[in-house]
C-alpha cells in the first residue's frame, strides 16, 4: 500500500519524467537523453520541485517505467529472503480470503488509505473472520502452519510497517 508520502513521490517522479519527455521531443537531436533529463530537473527546480536533481536519476526512472509500465514502490523494497524468513508474508498464501478482504477494504477506502487504517481493518475485520472460518471448519488451532500463524496474529497483531509491506 502507498502512504500519502509515497503517492506524492510517485506524482513528482511522473512530473519529472513528463518534463524530460517534453524537452526531449524538442531538443533530442541537439542534446542527449541525460542532458534533457538534467534540463527538466533544472526547470522544475525553478518551480520549487527540488527533491530530485540528477538527470541520471530521471533516466533510470524512465527505464523502470518502460520495463514495468509502473514505478517501483517508493518505500523500501522487501527482499525475497526477508519474505521467506518472515512468516507474516504468507498470510495471504495461507488465507486467500484474507487477501480478498484486504484488497476490497483498500479499494473501497482509497480516500482514507493508510497503514494505520489497514492495520485497524485487519485487526477488526479480517482476523476475526479468519478465526470464525477456522472454528466453523473445525481446524482452529490444529497445529498446522496456517493455524499457528493465525494464533500468533490473534495474540500479537502485526506492526503497521508489516501491513504496509503487504
Amino acid at each position: 500500500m502507498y502512504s500519502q508520502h509515497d503517492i506524492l513521490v510517485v506524482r513528482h517522479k511522473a512530473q519529472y519524467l513528463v518534463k524530460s519527455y517534453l524537452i526531449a521531443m524538442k531538443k533530442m537531436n541537439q542534446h542527449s537523453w541525460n542532458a534533457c533529463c538534467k534540463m527538466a530537473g533544472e526547470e522544475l527546480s525553478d518551480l520549487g520541485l527540488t527533491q530530485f536533481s540528477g538527470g541520471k536519476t530521471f533516466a533510470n526512472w524512465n527505464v523502470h517505467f518502460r520495463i514495468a509500465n509502473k514505478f517501483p514502490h517508493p518505500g523500501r523494497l522487501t527482499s525475497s529472503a526477508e519474505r521467506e524468513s518472515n512468516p507474516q508474508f504468507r498470510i495471504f498464501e495461507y488465507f486467500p480470503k484474507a487477501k480478498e478482504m484486504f484488497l476490497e477494504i483498500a479499494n473501497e477506502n482509497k480516500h482514507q488509505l493508510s497503514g494505520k487504517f489497514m492495520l485497524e481493518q485487519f485487526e477488526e475485520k479480517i482476523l476475526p473472520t479468519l478465526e470464525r472460518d477456522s472454528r466453523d471448519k473445525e481446524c482452529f488451532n490444529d497445529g498446522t502452519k496456517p493455524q499457528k500463524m493465525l494464533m500468533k496474529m490473534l495474540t500479537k497483531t502485526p506492526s503497521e510497517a508489516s501491513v504496509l509491506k503487504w
Side-chain angles (χ1 to χ4, degrees):
M1 301 272 94
Y2 286 96
S3 68
Q4 291 299 324
H5 175 74
D6 294 338
I7 292 168
L8 185 65
V9 169
V10 170
R11 285 182 181 159
H12 285 172
K13 284 182 178 183
Q15 288 176 314
Y16 281 104
L17 272 182
V18 167
K19 190 64 172 173
S20 297
Y21 296 144
L22 292 171
I23 291 172
M25 287 180 358
K26 291 180 185 174
K27 300 182 179 188
M28 192 66 152
N29 291 333
Q30 301 88 16
H31 299 282
S32 69
W33 169 240
N34 283 341
C36 292
C37 291
K38 186 175 181 188
M39 286 184 250
E42 290 167 358
E43 284 187 32
L44 290 172
S45 177
D46 293 341
L47 296 174
L49 289 173
T50 58
Q51 305 89 310
F52 310 106
S53 60
K56 286 190 177 200
T57 301
F58 309 153
N60 286 337
W61 293 342
N62 178 56
V63 171
H64 286 290
F65 187 71
R66 287 181 56 206
I67 290 171
N69 200 26
K70 63 181 180 180
F71 292 111
H73 193 288
R76 183 180 68 82
L77 297 178
T78 305
S79 70
S80 58
E82 184 178 2
R83 287 185 182 275
E84 289 300 316
S85 68
N86 187 339
Q88 288 183 349
F89 287 109
R90 297 200 170 182
I91 183 74
F92 298 135
E93 179 184 324
Y94 291 150
F95 300 100
K97 185 174 184 175
K99 181 177 182 177
E100 288 175 25
M101 292 177 70
F102 194 87
L103 292 173
E104 184 179 319
I105 292 167
N107 286 325
E108 290 175 357
N109 296 282
K110 290 178 184 173
H111 62 284
Q112 60 182 1
L113 199 58
S114 69
K116 181 179 178 185
F117 174 79
M118 289 308 294
L119 178 59
E120 289 170 358
Q121 296 301 303
F122 186 75
E123 292 172 339
E124 295 170 10
K125 293 182 180 174
I126 297 172
L127 280 177
T129 299
L130 296 178
E131 179 182 3
R132 185 175 52 255
D133 288 354
S134 292
R135 289 185 187 280
D136 289 347
K137 293 176 185 174
E138 298 181 1
C139 62
F140 183 71
N141 200 17
D142 66 2
T144 61
K145 285 184 180 182
Q147 291 301 313
K148 286 180 181 179
M149 176 188 283
L150 180 58
M151 291 300 297
K152 185 175 181 178
M153 287 188 168
L154 286 168
T155 56
K156 184 177 185 275
T157 57
S159 68
E160 186 177 328
S162 291
V163 171
L164 282 172
K165 292 177 186 177
W166 294 344

